[in-house]
Amino acid sequence: MDGKLVERARRELAGAEPQEILRWALERFQRIALSFSGAEDVVLVDMAVRIRPDVAVFSLDTGRLHPETYRFLERVREHYGIALEVLFPDAAEVEALVRERGLYSFYREGHKACCAVRKVAPLRRRLAGLDAWVTGQRRDQSPTRAAVPVVELDAAFSQPDRPLVKVNPLAEWSSAQVWAYIRAHDVPYNALHARGYVSIGCEPCTRPVLPHQHEREGRWWWEDAREKECGLHAGNLAANG
């Protein structure tokens, strides 16, 4: 799928409901998988299994997730009867990172080196076998995602001879709409949400937010809001200059 076709799909799907966007993606691509973070993007799992029960779903285990997130991943696997694929970082790369920088270097040096080993490298390996992937990105999550389209060519993981399509069915939805869906369909959710966590990542890099704080203020709170991407969606930073 080239840039012109992506642009046409973007126009056709503008204003469409997430289920319609998901159906378009799952019917168009055979080699496609849904990325599940262990947070409120579980709504995509709920929607996708209603369209394609054997949809491929994967999650990144960085080795630093909250215990609640591990339990939630297992609950989702059992609730939907899916073969949830859990991806791990390369052990030698993690050992080298910790040996050279320590366990909490991200507080001093920023999170990107740690995310590169624990998240980006495993994701790159998984995406190498796909033509498209589905994410839970929304425009209201952060300044870096304010212009996220529903369909795009993945600027970070496409290869010169093999374009990769990224589908963002929730791009036009708000957090309130996501939670309305969770409650209306009795969708399971991460227990951390009931304790003030909104955007959930690794345990050392995530904390609850206070009322009226933006959800991404709980992620990498020691860094500038314009840098709050872990590398999975590096194209957002490039698009925002």
Side-chain angles (χ1 to χ4, degrees):
M1 193 171 196
D2 60 23
K4 290 183 179 178
L5 291 176
V6 167
E7 182 59 36
R8 188 172 72 183
R10 193 181 298 173
R11 290 196 300 271
E12 292 174 352
L13 295 171
E17 290 297 319
Q19 296 94 328
E20 185 178 349
I21 298 168
L22 263 176
R23 182 176 297 280
W24 171 86
L26 295 175
E27 291 180 350
R28 187 174 191 93
F29 300 100
Q30 284 303 310
R31 296 194 304 179
I32 184 172
L34 194 159
S35 172
F36 170 47
S37 72
E40 80 277 23
D41 56 350
V42 66
V43 299
L44 289 176
V45 178
D46 189 88
M47 294 172 179
V49 296
R50 297 169 190 262
I51 300 169
R52 186 194 290 183
D54 64 344
V55 62
V57 181
F58 69 86
S59 190
L60 301 172
D61 180 1
T62 63
R64 306 296 295 268
L65 301 179
H66 296 78
E68 291 85 351
T69 299
Y70 288 111
R71 286 192 285 272
F72 181 49
L73 293 179
E74 200 60 18
R75 186 180 175 199
V76 168
R77 182 201 305 273
E78 294 172 356
H79 183 83
Y80 292 105
I82 58 174
L84 177 61
E85 180 183 9
V86 180
L87 308 179
F88 300 93
D90 181 86
E93 292 181 11
V94 173
E95 289 174 3
L97 173 74
V98 174
R99 182 171 59 250
E100 295 167 8
R101 297 170 181 259
L103 284 167
Y104 296 94
S105 60
F106 36 83
Y107 290 138
R108 304 186 305 271
E109 304 168 3
H111 69 272
K112 292 185 178 179
C114 187
C115 286
V117 170
R118 296 179 183 274
K119 300 178 78 172
V120 178
L123 178 66
R124 188 180 300 282
R125 289 197 297 271
R126 183 65 178 92
L127 296 183
L130 299 179
D131 295 321
W133 66 305
V134 180
T135 88
Q137 290 191 103
R138 301 193 322 271
R139 293 172 188 165
D140 70 343
Q141 286 178 313
S142 73
T144 64
R145 300 183 180 183
V148 164
V150 295
V151 184
E152 60 185 317
L153 281 179
D154 193 320
F157 296 103
S158 286
Q159 301 174 32
D161 59 342
R162 189 172 180 178
L164 178 69
V165 174
K166 183 157 64 172
V167 185
N168 310 301
L170 300 178
E172 296 179 353
W173 263 23
S174 66
S175 175
Q177 287 174 292
V178 169
W179 279 97
Y181 183 97
I182 288 174
R183 295 185 180 97
H185 295 82
D186 198 22
V187 175
Y189 57 86
N190 194 318
L192 291 172
H193 288 302
R195 290 157 46 187
Y197 291 80
V198 182
S199 178
I200 300 172
C202 291
E203 186 276 336
C205 303
T206 306
R207 66 182 183 182
V209 295
L210 298 172
H212 308 301
Q213 277 190 306
H214 191 276
E215 64 183 81
R216 295 292 277 188
E217 290 188 55
R219 300 286 297 278
W220 306 299
W221 56 91
W222 62 93
E223 296 185 6
D224 190 292
R226 293 167 296 183
E227 299 296 325
K228 291 189 178 186
E229 291 290 354
C230 57
L232 307 188
H233 307 295
N236 295 344
L237 296 178
N240 283 278

